[in-house]
Amino acid sequence: PADEIEKLVVGLDSHRGCIFESAYEYPGRYARWTMGFQDPPLMFEGWSKHFRLSSLNERGNVLIPAIKEVLGRCEAINKETLSIGEDANKSHILGDILPVEKFFTEEERSKQNSIFSVVRAIIDMFRVDTETDPQLGLYGAFGYDLTFQFEDVKRAHKRDPNQRDVVLYIPDSILVQDKQASSSWKLEYEFAIGTVSTVGLERKGDSEEFVGQTVVPIRRDHEKGEYAKSVEKARG
């Protein structure tokens, strides 16, 4: 089991995927598992009110048409922008979120049109009883700018248009280790949509070695001498 976890850690230097570890447990919030995956079939990305769901291998290609059909019923999505494309034999879905046209009460504002509306639609499509399978889901990272999905305040700083607000993966093979119980297991999923399925298709993904920064640029949030001037102003 430990060897499998280490193998996964090394693999993530060149393959897409995630690994999470927790030694703390609280019902409904935290679990004491080490879990992770490599080469998932699908990746979801969001930039402001735009999103892209990409297939990362043949197994993902099987799922894309069915997901587009589900997203076509999502009221938060602008249907005129919802489309399927293809890059290097890998399918993807593109779409935009409709602007909000009504006011929401404080307790309902998270239900307004947002990137999370798309995430909820995908979750509903793959939903299973958590008592049966607590692992299948979307895993990844959420950025701070997702706050602007609900509070569209004026930005004080420029944003890189290529900066993603959210990146989530849907895995089809998950390695799980419970250190406290000294047990581990691997969950592998097959998906069937009508007459097509992922059965027999290889679980693989692109490989690209990670290259870190050798020189980190110096960044300041004040110009040279600016803070000293503010102190002098406060004294005066």
Side-chain angles (χ1 to χ4, degrees):
D3 291 342
E4 288 295 315
I5 293 292
E6 183 58 29
K7 182 179 178 181
L8 173 61
V9 171
V10 173
L12 292 179
D13 280 341
S14 56
H15 290 254
R16 286 189 175 92
C18 297
I19 188 164
F20 306 93
E21 184 166 12
S22 173
Y24 181 75
E25 184 169 27
Y26 186 86
R29 184 175 292 270
Y30 302 105
R32 62 175 191 272
W33 294 326
T34 296
M35 62 174 293
F37 55 87
Q38 180 180 307
D39 294 327
L42 295 168
M43 174 174 66
F44 177 82
E45 304 166 278
W47 302 261
S48 184
K49 298 295 184 179
H50 316 289
F51 68 88
R52 175 182 174 123
L53 182 72
S54 304
S55 163
L56 302 177
N57 54 33
E58 288 185 81
R59 297 172 65 83
N61 285 344
V62 171
L63 298 168
I64 287 291
I67 296 176
K68 181 179 182 292
E69 183 178 338
V70 168
L71 297 184
R73 298 193 292 269
C74 179
E75 296 180 354
I77 296 175
N78 183 344
K79 305 306 183 295
E80 294 182 0
T81 66
L82 190 63
S83 63
I84 286 184
E86 187 173 298
D87 295 320
N89 297 321
K90 296 174 184 175
S91 303
H92 63 260
I93 300 171
L94 297 174
D96 294 337
I97 305 300
L98 286 168
V100 177
E101 297 181 346
K102 61 180 180 179
F103 291 101
F104 286 80
T105 60
E106 176 65 22
E107 58 270 20
E108 292 183 326
R109 65 175 181 161
S110 65
K111 296 179 181 179
Q112 61 186 297
N113 298 347
S114 71
I115 286 294
F116 291 103
S117 303
V118 186
V119 173
R120 290 190 189 102
I122 296 172
I123 289 174
D124 287 341
M125 176 180 176
F126 287 89
R127 186 182 300 278
V128 295
D129 184 355
T130 55
E131 293 295 324
T132 303
D133 182 358
Q135 258 77 47
L136 182 62
L138 288 86
Y139 297 90
F142 296 88
Y144 287 110
D145 277 9
L146 286 171
T147 300
F148 299 126
Q149 297 283 320
F150 310 115
E151 297 290 345
D152 193 19
V153 299
K154 182 179 179 180
R155 276 59 156 182
H157 301 283
K158 290 183 179 180
R159 260 64 176 180
D160 180 349
N162 295 318
Q163 177 179 296
R164 298 171 295 181
D165 296 330
V166 58
V167 181
L168 299 172
Y169 294 114
I170 301 176
D172 59 2
S173 177
I174 305 175
L175 179 63
V176 186
Q177 182 182 39
D178 185 336
K179 291 184 177 180
Q180 185 169 330
S182 298
S183 63
S184 62
W185 57 95
K186 179 181 284 188
L187 299 168
E188 294 190 338
Y189 302 87
E190 300 292 354
F191 303 99
I193 308 294
T195 60
V196 297
S197 78
T198 57
V199 175
L201 297 178
E202 189 176 357
R203 303 174 195 271
K204 63 179 182 179
D206 295 336
S207 176
E208 182 178 345
E209 289 296 328
F210 171 75
V211 179
Q213 287 185 313
T214 56
V215 178
V216 179
I218 298 175
R219 300 177 60 184
R220 299 187 178 93
D221 59 359
H222 287 70
E223 295 295 329
K224 186 175 181 179
E226 183 180 353
Y227 183 74
K229 290 178 181 179
S230 66
V231 173
E232 290 299 323
K233 182 179 180 180
R235 287 176 175 174

